[in-house]
């Protein structure tokens, strides 16, 4: 992997896991992390707890982009709500020629990055993993751990092939696709249904799978995504509805990433899942009542949490 300098922004569940795998394989990795994470990893290493066998790496880290002058590849492994600030931070490296690999959930991060930088510097990625950040510098990995990536244009470019080869050589299952935007929409079918339901219900995914009424919400939500996607010339086969539900049985004991964010007092990505579907539906004239319901309920729970925090609760 000589000659491929990589900056990973974020050492959470996704960036921490894949970055540790790349680091263990000998890749030239540097992490951009927050001060608390920097201190913890400096002391104890980046710890990956995983069924095949736990391991620890001691990667290079920086707390400010100014500490590094050039990289070939920047892997963005932050939540979508941190995206604007991160784009600003890494701008000097992008101007110096770095390619950006986006690993955000949702369907708009590539558009946002291209609009911000004004030139073709982005390769899109989709991650499939069940993992959580248990504490700074400690990742609990349960299952899966694959990446799909490709050009937004659908071409098979040299840079996408190089990134694919880099990741594959590290032993990470990686798929080079010519339909990465469609794949992002297909993943949104899961993210925009099971994620908000897990927050609303305050329960692992098994509860949704046991209820015909809740599964009908999932089905209606995916129907709406298919309809909105079609207005953007993204054709998603209706079979994805039952395929999405069937695939979730393997995850039924787990909580979702949105649930983890909500329970930890962090922002959720509801704006970039259901909110984005609502916005695009309104623009194209496609009704999205299921997503409006899910969006409103999660926003209501966030409002309740902030009210309790600010006011200390109370009774009426």
């Amino acid at each position: 992997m000589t000659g491929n300098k990589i900056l990973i922004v974020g050492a959470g569940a996704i960036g921490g896991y894949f970055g540790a795998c790349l680091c263990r394989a000998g890749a030239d990795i540097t992490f951009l992390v927050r001060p608390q994470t920097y201190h913890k990893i400096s002391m104890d290493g980046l710890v990956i707890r995983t069924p095949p066998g736990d391991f620890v790496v001691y990667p290079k880290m920086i707390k400010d982009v100014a500490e590094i002058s050039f990289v070939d590849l920047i892997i963005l492994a932050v939540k979508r709500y941190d995206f604007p600030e991160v784009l600003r931070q890494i701008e000097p490296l992008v101007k110096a020629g770095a390619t950006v690999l986006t690993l955000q959930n949702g369907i708009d991060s590539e558009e946002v990055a291209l609009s911000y930088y004004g030139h073709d510097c982005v390769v899109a990625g989709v991650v499939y993993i069940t993992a959580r950040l248990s504490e700074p510098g400690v990742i609990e990995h349960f299952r899966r751990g694959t990446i799909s990536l490709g050009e937004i244009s659908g071409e098979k470019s040299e840079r996408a092939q190089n990134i694919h080869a880099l990741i594959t050589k590290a032993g990470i299952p990686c798929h080079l696709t010519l339909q990465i935007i469609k794949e992002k929409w297909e993943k949104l079918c899961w993210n925009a249904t099971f994620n908000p339901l897990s927050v609303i219900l305050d329960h692992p995914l098994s509860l949704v799978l046991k209820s015909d009424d809740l599964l009908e919400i999932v089905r209606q939500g995916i129907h709406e995504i298919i309809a909105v996607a079609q207005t953007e010339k993204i054709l998603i086969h209706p079979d994805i509805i039952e395929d999405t539900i069937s695939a979730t049985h393997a995850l039924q004991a787990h909580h979702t990433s949105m649930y983890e964010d909500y329970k930890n007092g962090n922002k959720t990505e509801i704006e970039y899942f259901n909110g984005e579907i609502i916005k695009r539906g309104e623009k194209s004239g496609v009704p999205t009542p299921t997503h409006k319901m899910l969006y409103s309920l999660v926003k209501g729970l966030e409002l309740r949490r902030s009210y309790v925090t600010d006011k200390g609760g109370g009774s009426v």
Side-chain angles (χ1 to χ4, degrees):
M1 295 187 185
T2 304
N4 291 297
K5 294 179 66 65
I6 306 168
L7 177 68
I8 298 182
V9 184
I14 292 173
Y17 175 77
F18 289 114
C21 291
L22 285 162
C23 187
R24 182 173 61 168
D28 187 354
I29 295 288
T30 301
F31 280 92
L32 174 63
V33 296
R34 295 184 174 93
Q36 180 185 11
T37 304
Y38 184 97
H39 176 74
K40 185 68 165 54
I41 295 177
S42 296
M43 296 288 292
D44 302 325
L46 177 56
V47 180
I48 308 298
R49 296 174 179 160
T50 179
D54 299 353
F55 65 96
V56 182
V57 296
Y58 292 84
K60 292 183 289 184
M61 293 181 294
I62 58 174
K63 291 179 281 187
D64 193 300
V65 171
E67 298 174 51
I68 193 169
S69 60
F70 177 82
V71 294
D72 298 289
L73 176 65
I74 304 172
I75 300 177
L76 296 186
V78 297
K79 294 287 188 178
R80 176 61 183 81
Y81 46 72
D82 288 329
F83 207 59
E85 175 61 19
V86 167
L87 293 181
R88 184 194 64 79
Q89 289 177 332
I90 65 172
E91 187 172 5
L93 297 176
V94 175
K95 285 184 175 179
T99 296
V100 176
L101 175 63
T102 54
L103 297 183
Q104 283 63 47
N105 285 321
I107 51 175
D108 74 330
S109 56
E110 293 74 26
E111 296 173 9
V112 172
L114 288 172
S115 176
Y116 183 86
Y117 294 125
H119 70 281
D120 183 15
C121 57
V122 175
V123 173
V126 178
V127 168
Y128 303 95
I129 189 170
T130 307
R132 64 184 291 268
L133 179 70
S134 62
E135 61 181 279
V138 180
I139 312 299
E140 294 181 356
H141 170 239
F142 302 103
R143 62 186 304 273
R144 306 183 299 172
T146 66
I147 297 174
S148 286
L149 62 88
E151 293 285 356
I152 300 167
S153 64
E155 66 180 305
K156 193 173 183 179
S157 70
E158 182 179 353
R159 67 179 180 182
Q161 291 180 75
N162 288 340
I163 297 170
H164 172 260
L166 180 91
I167 293 172
T168 301
K169 286 178 183 177
I172 299 169
C174 185
H175 175 58
L176 182 60
T177 176
L178 304 184
Q179 299 187 82
I180 190 64
I181 299 304
K182 179 181 178 182
E183 196 164 329
K184 290 178 74 70
W185 276 89
E186 289 174 341
K187 188 179 180 186
L188 184 65
C189 290
W190 193 92
N191 275 327
T193 51
F194 283 99
N195 262 292
L197 281 172
S198 72
V199 175
I200 295 162
L201 297 168
D202 191 18
H203 199 277
L205 295 166
S206 57
L207 184 58
V208 180
L209 296 171
K210 292 175 182 176
S211 167
D212 290 339
D213 292 332
L214 293 172
L215 286 176
E216 186 58 25
I217 292 174
V218 172
R219 292 186 176 100
Q220 289 300 321
I222 299 177
H223 269 298
E224 292 170 17
I225 294 173
I226 292 171
V228 174
Q230 187 171 3
T231 68
E232 301 192 16
K233 296 182 172 56
I234 305 293
L235 302 180
I236 303 174
H237 197 282
D239 284 354
I240 196 170
I241 297 172
E242 298 308 320
D243 289 346
T244 298
I245 293 170
S246 178
T248 307
H249 283 276
L251 309 172
Q252 61 181 311
H254 297 285
H255 291 290
T256 65
S257 60
M258 186 180 287
Y259 177 91
E260 296 285 351
D261 282 340
Y262 178 75
K263 281 299 183 180
N264 289 329
N266 299 322
K267 296 179 184 177
T268 73
E269 293 182 294
I270 193 72
E271 293 286 352
Y272 310 104
F273 295 174
N274 307 81
E276 189 67 20
I277 298 165
I278 294 166
K279 181 175 71 175
R280 293 182 187 230
E282 289 174 347
K283 183 178 179 181
S284 61
V286 175
T288 57
T290 304
H291 294 283
K292 288 181 179 179
M293 175 195 66
L294 294 171
Y295 175 88
S296 298
L297 289 171
V298 173
K299 295 295 286 186
L301 287 170
E302 291 179 329
L303 181 62
R304 183 187 69 174
R305 182 180 62 187
S306 65
Y307 178 81
V308 170
T309 301
D310 294 340
K311 307 295 184 181
S315 60
V316 294

